[in-house]
């Protein structure tokens, strides 16, 4: 089950319990036998995201070439572009359309990186399926797309994962992704073991974590910064930045 943010002392986001007697009202959550008023935690579904092409861009600059990924919200596509040092440009639809047919709403929260061998990687959210995906290829066409995290949380339960994705490669070319589980309000971290196989780790979970994650690699370790939403008694945010270190190799 998901978490509910409550106006406790201090305010926090927790998994509700079922031991309140009498039961709680709709504006309250049961937490360890107590009915506590709910507060609203921000979630990333795309109601407030503007329509258009070029939404949520991500940039990499390698050996004079610019690599750009972005969300075409009008069509629900992940697109990418390369501008070579001589000015030559290439633009392609990476996911969301095949042979002119729509295949789903994908491409939000993209993050692009290029490994030391020149392989392009893009992490992004499959909005329609609530999944985290990863594109890998030498070019913008002909690469592979794999599901990193399905968001499955149990029988009939599926989290919204993949928001605020941040992709980086180790020196050995291993892709690492930090991202937000927007249902559980957790910070998650994925490391590729082999093509199509990833290890998934929940890094921060006690509270509303994982917002606006960003990651950098140094000496084989992943350093992740993310925002935790806290709440005051007046339901105003009193946020905390967390820096977390995870092994990369």
């Amino acid at each position: 089950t998901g978490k509910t943010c409550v106006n406790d002392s201090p305010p926090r986001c927790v998994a509700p319990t079922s031991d309140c007697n009498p039961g709680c009202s709709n504006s309250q959550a049961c937490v360890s036998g107590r009915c506590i008023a709910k507060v609203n935690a921000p979630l990333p579904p795309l109601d407030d995201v503007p329509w258009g092409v070029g939404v949520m861009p991500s940039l990499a600059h390698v050996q004079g070439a610019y690599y750009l990924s972005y969300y075409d919200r009008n069509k629900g596509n992940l697109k990418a572009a390369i501008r070579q040092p001589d000015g030559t440009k290439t633009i392609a639809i990476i996911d969301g359309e095949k042979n002119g047919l729509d295949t789903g709403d994908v491409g939000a929260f993209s993050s692009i990186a290029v490994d030391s061998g020149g392989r392009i990687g893009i992490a992004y959210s499959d909005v329609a399926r609530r999944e985290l995906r990863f594109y890998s290829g030498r070019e913008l066409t002909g690469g592979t797309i794999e599901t990193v995290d399905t968001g499955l949380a149990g029988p009939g339960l599926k989290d919204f994962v993949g928001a605020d994705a941040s992709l980086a490669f180790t020196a050995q070319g291993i892709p690492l992704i930090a991202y937000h589980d927007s249902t559980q309000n957790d910070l998650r971290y994925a490391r590729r073991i082999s093509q199509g196989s990833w290890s998934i780790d929940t890094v921060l979970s006690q509270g509303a974590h994982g917002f606006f994650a960003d990651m950098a690699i140094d000496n084989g370790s992943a350093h992740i910064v993310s925002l935790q939403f806290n709440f005051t008694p007046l339901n105003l945010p009193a946020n905390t930045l967390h820096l977390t270190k995870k092994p990369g190799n």
Side-chain angles (χ1 to χ4, degrees):
T1 58
K3 295 178 184 175
T4 298
C5 294
V6 294
N7 192 14
D8 202 359
S9 180
R12 56 198 176 114
C13 296
V14 296
T17 59
S18 58
D19 53 350
C20 290
N21 188 14
C24 304
S25 68
N26 291 335
S27 63
Q28 297 175 317
C30 180
V31 180
S32 299
R34 295 185 299 139
C35 292
I36 306 175
K38 298 177 184 177
V39 293
N40 293 323
L43 293 174
L46 307 182
D47 294 344
D48 297 328
V49 175
W51 294 90
V53 181
V55 179
M56 302 179 180
S58 177
L59 178 68
H61 187 225
V62 180
Q63 296 182 344
Y66 292 93
Y67 299 80
L68 177 68
S69 65
Y70 54 96
Y71 180 37
D72 179 348
R73 197 184 177 202
N74 292 343
K75 295 186 177 180
N77 292 338
L78 172 67
K79 301 185 76 173
I82 301 176
R83 184 179 184 271
Q84 301 292 352
D86 63 3
T88 304
K89 298 178 183 178
T90 304
I91 300 175
I93 297 173
I94 303 297
D95 196 2
E97 185 176 312
K98 186 175 183 179
N99 299 324
L101 299 177
D102 177 57
T103 59
D105 186 359
V106 302
F109 307 103
S110 75
S111 179
I112 192 169
V114 182
D115 71 12
S116 58
R119 181 171 292 274
I120 303 164
I122 308 174
Y124 59 100
S125 173
D126 181 332
V127 179
R129 297 174 180 85
R130 302 183 177 187
E131 296 176 348
L132 176 66
R133 285 189 173 186
F134 176 71
Y135 171 85
S136 178
R138 295 285 178 185
E139 306 291 341
L140 298 183
T141 57
T144 60
I145 294 173
E146 54 196 270
T147 299
V148 178
D149 189 344
T150 63
L152 291 176
L157 300 174
K158 193 172 177 71
D159 293 351
F160 187 116
V161 298
D164 298 333
S166 180
L167 168 69
F169 286 99
T170 67
Q172 292 74 30
I174 300 172
L176 313 171
I177 308 172
Y179 59 101
H180 187 212
D181 179 335
S182 307
T183 303
Q184 302 294 337
N185 281 326
D186 291 342
L187 173 65
R188 287 194 179 185
Y189 171 74
R191 179 184 180 275
R192 195 191 204 193
I193 300 171
S194 60
Q195 183 171 324
S197 177
W198 296 75
S199 65
I200 307 295
D201 184 20
T202 298
V203 180
L204 296 172
S205 62
Q206 297 301 312
H209 283 280
F211 296 88
F212 313 115
D214 197 18
M215 180 170 56
I217 305 297
D218 184 44
N219 291 328
S221 295
H223 301 264
I224 308 167
V225 64
S226 62
L227 184 69
Q228 177 187 6
F229 277 97
N230 302 309
F231 299 92
T232 68
L234 296 178
N235 198 20
L236 298 175
N239 304 328
T240 305
L241 281 173
H242 290 269
L243 183 61
T244 310
K245 181 179 178 181
K246 295 292 293 182
N249 295 327

